[in-house]
Amino acid sequence: MNPSISAEATLTRGPLDDAKAQLAQAVAQLDVSEGVHRMLATSRREMAVAVPLRRDDGSIAVYEGFRVQHNFSRGPAKGGLRFSTAVDLDEVRALAMWMTWKCALVDVPYGGAKGGVAIEPREHSLGELERVTRRYTSEILPIIGPDMDIPAPDIGTDERTMAWIMDTYSASKGHTVPGVVTGKPIALGGSLGRASATSRGVAHVALLAMASRGLDPARTSAAVQGFGKVGRDAARFLQEAGVTVVAVSDVDGAVINERGLDVTGLAAHVEAAGSVRGFEGADDLDRDALLTLDVDVLVPAALEGVITEDNAAQVRASIVVEGANGPTTQAADEILTDRDVLVVPDILANAGGVIVSYFEWVQSNQAYQWRESEVNDRLAERMTNAWHAVVEHAGAHRITYREAATALAVRRVIEAHDLRGLYP
Ligand code: NAD
């Protein structure tokens, strides 16, 4: 192994360091040349753009935007678009690399990508968000497309954002191109079941993990960090499966009810009040105290780097299901593993989103719509297959589920790379 790669990989300072350390672990198990390791540790293409915005008051603001395409060996790049002030190039690089592994693990024919604009969406009107989205899209237009790179919603973006991207891209081409994004509104060719697919997959593997640890859902408690597109429906699906969801949080705070939250009522409260705080059917709780509650299952579904070496020893859940990308730092992961906490890694746990994004892309490219039951059945089948592959590989090699998932994925990407060869 190249010493500079391994040295970099052992210094865990941020998501990119964690992603590189995970890659280094996978590479150590596989027979990978130094050159191929270096290729896999490097994005194939990166674009940094300025996104000027004419604000509603006539002033002009300028935001940083990025699109990173980590790998194309298995197909076009695929990954979400994030609007958050925490966005920077290294975060986007890490998220793009994780997308490559996720797509390979669940065997969808994509490489990984990610995009971001360093903006706080809650501080902007709808008109401003539309102008930012359209300008960002026009800046990255040369490198996206249904056969090149297909964005989807992520933190701070939603189906409306995808509609604006699709429209901006289509206007430049002179005809409608629905396959340029996934997570679109149904009326524009979005897939039935896409909006809740990530959450459905999270709940699906959470139930498989509970079964593997002998936990009966009816006697199992859970806490969910984040009540956005992933967390809200993950809490709902877990509750529908009989799990007692005792606490959830968002950026503004957390709520707890030991007897179980009314997740549907809470969603209505958030719709009206903008936050989980102050929900009548629960008590307010310190936001970050949720992570160390005495529950069986913890679902971090907000952002990366929340379970760290500072709080990992206090996590009391016996199962952590990573709804978010990169919620557990590398140092925290080691602490949880030593404590026999079962961590279902992000590239497996939240892969339901990209699986149904793939189904949406197939439907968009064929101008055909599948039944929702068909989408959900195929999603469940792929999640179950990926779960069993990871469990089997982890057992055979006596490694963690994260190490197994990453190794399986990296092996698939290398196989594709080897078959294609290095150009020229
Ligand atoms: P979102 O913007 O819809 O929701 C994010 C939620 O997290 C919000 O409720 C926000 O208030 C909350 N939050 C932010 N900071 C918090 C904090 N410090 N503590 C508690 N809550 C906090 O975003 P999303 O699409 O639900 O994405 C959440 C995570 O899931 C991200 O890591 C994303 O990359 C990942 N993910 C999303 C999808 C998808 O299909 N949307 C797919 C795979 C992975």
Side-chain angles (χ1 to χ4, degrees):
M1 189 196 297
N2 182 312
S4 66
I5 293 181
S6 60
E8 253 176 275
T10 51
L11 293 172
T12 54
R13 292 181 305 270
L16 184 58
D17 303 294
D18 286 343
K20 285 186 178 178
Q22 290 156 8
L23 171 63
Q25 274 178 342
V27 159
Q29 276 185 53
L30 305 165
D31 185 20
V32 181
S33 72
E34 180 188 317
V36 170
H37 181 186
R38 187 169 281 286
M39 278 187 62
L40 295 175
T42 313
S43 319
R44 293 275 71 74
R45 184 184 284 148
E46 301 182 343
M47 195 165 187
V49 297
V51 187
L53 164 71
R54 185 178 306 285
R55 299 210 59 175
D56 294 340
D57 66 5
S59 65
I60 292 176
V62 184
Y63 300 98
E64 283 185 300
F66 307 97
R67 187 74 190 170
V68 172
Q69 297 166 342
H70 171 257
N71 193 278
F72 307 107
S73 292
R74 292 172 39 87
K78 180 93 189 80
L81 168 64
R82 175 174 291 197
F83 284 177
S84 157
T85 50
V87 162
D88 64 27
L89 184 53
D90 274 355
E91 181 191 63
V92 180
R93 284 173 169 150
L95 291 162
M97 190 188 295
W98 285 325
M99 279 306 296
T100 300
W101 313 144
K102 192 183 303 180
C103 292
L105 179 66
V106 295
D107 204 12
V108 292
Y110 296 129
K114 204 79 179 189
V117 179
I119 187 172
E120 171 49 65
R122 299 210 295 181
E123 289 172 4
H124 293 273
S125 67
L126 210 54
E128 289 185 350
L129 291 175
E130 176 173 354
R131 293 197 288 282
V132 160
T133 304
R134 288 188 184 277
R135 181 62 187 249
Y136 168 77
T137 306
S138 75
E139 295 294 339
I140 64 162
L141 208 115
I143 63 166
I144 61 168
D147 300 320
M148 291 176 78
D149 179 0
I150 306 116
D154 193 77
I155 292 178
T157 59
D158 57 18
E159 60 174 32
R160 200 167 37 201
T161 323
M162 296 305 115
W164 293 328
I165 295 177
M166 183 193 111
D167 185 67
T168 307
Y169 184 86
S170 299
S172 84
K173 298 292 168 193
H175 58 95
T176 300
V177 188
V180 66
V181 287
T182 58
K184 298 180 288 294
I186 304 289
L188 293 178
S191 177
L192 297 169
R194 171 59 184 93
S196 54
T198 309
S199 318
R200 194 178 282 279
V202 167
H204 190 80
V205 290
L207 292 169
L208 290 168
M210 286 175 215
S212 77
R213 286 266 167 131
L215 292 178
D216 171 3
R219 291 161 196 238
T220 301
S221 59
V224 179
Q225 184 193 41
F227 203 64
K229 294 185 295 299
V230 179
R232 187 190 49 226
D233 284 344
R236 179 167 67 86
F237 289 132
L238 286 171
Q239 190 167 64
E240 285 173 7
V243 174
T244 307
V245 178
V246 298
V248 302
S249 62
D250 63 19
V251 68
D252 297 320
V255 287
I256 184 164
N257 182 338
E258 297 288 356
R259 294 187 309 280
L261 292 164
D262 165 13
V263 176
T264 312
L266 181 59
H269 167 82
V270 171
E271 200 64 38
S275 166
V276 298
R277 271 191 318 187
F279 176 51
E280 268 185 5
D283 297 321
D284 280 350
L285 173 77
D286 173 60
R287 185 186 76 183
D288 298 336
L290 175 135
L291 295 168
T292 51
L293 284 177
D294 188 10
V295 289
D296 301 303
V297 179
L298 176 63
V299 182
L303 65 171
E304 61 265 14
V306 294
I307 304 177
T308 66
E309 57 191 320
D310 296 330
N311 63 7
Q314 283 85 52
V315 168
R316 282 187 275 176
S318 58
I319 298 174
V320 173
V321 183
E322 295 185 333
N325 287 308
T328 312
T329 67
Q330 185 73 5
D333 214 18
E334 285 165 21
I335 296 169
L336 295 178
T337 302
D338 287 347
R339 295 181 48 225
D340 197 30
V341 176
L342 172 55
V343 180
V344 185
D346 45 10
I347 61 170
L348 171 61
N350 69 37
V354 78
I355 291 172
V356 178
S357 272
Y358 164 56
F359 297 162
E360 179 176 329
W361 181 71
V362 169
Q363 293 170 78
S364 286
N365 293 342
Q366 296 184 341
Y368 189 75
Q369 189 161 66
W370 302 356
R371 289 190 312 278
E372 188 164 358
S373 57
E374 205 171 340
V375 171
N376 291 341
D377 289 350
R378 290 182 190 214
L379 165 64
E381 187 183 331
R382 279 182 189 255
M383 292 298 297
T384 307
N385 289 346
W387 164 266
H388 287 304
V390 168
V391 171
E392 201 173 296
H393 195 78
H397 297 269
R398 304 177 74 80
I399 53 178
T400 66
Y401 286 8
R402 188 186 316 280
E403 288 166 337
T406 311
L408 286 171
V410 169
R411 195 167 68 188
R412 284 197 179 142
V413 175
I414 292 175
E415 185 188 2
H417 169 77
D418 285 347
L419 287 167
R420 293 175 64 152
L422 178 60
Y423 174 84

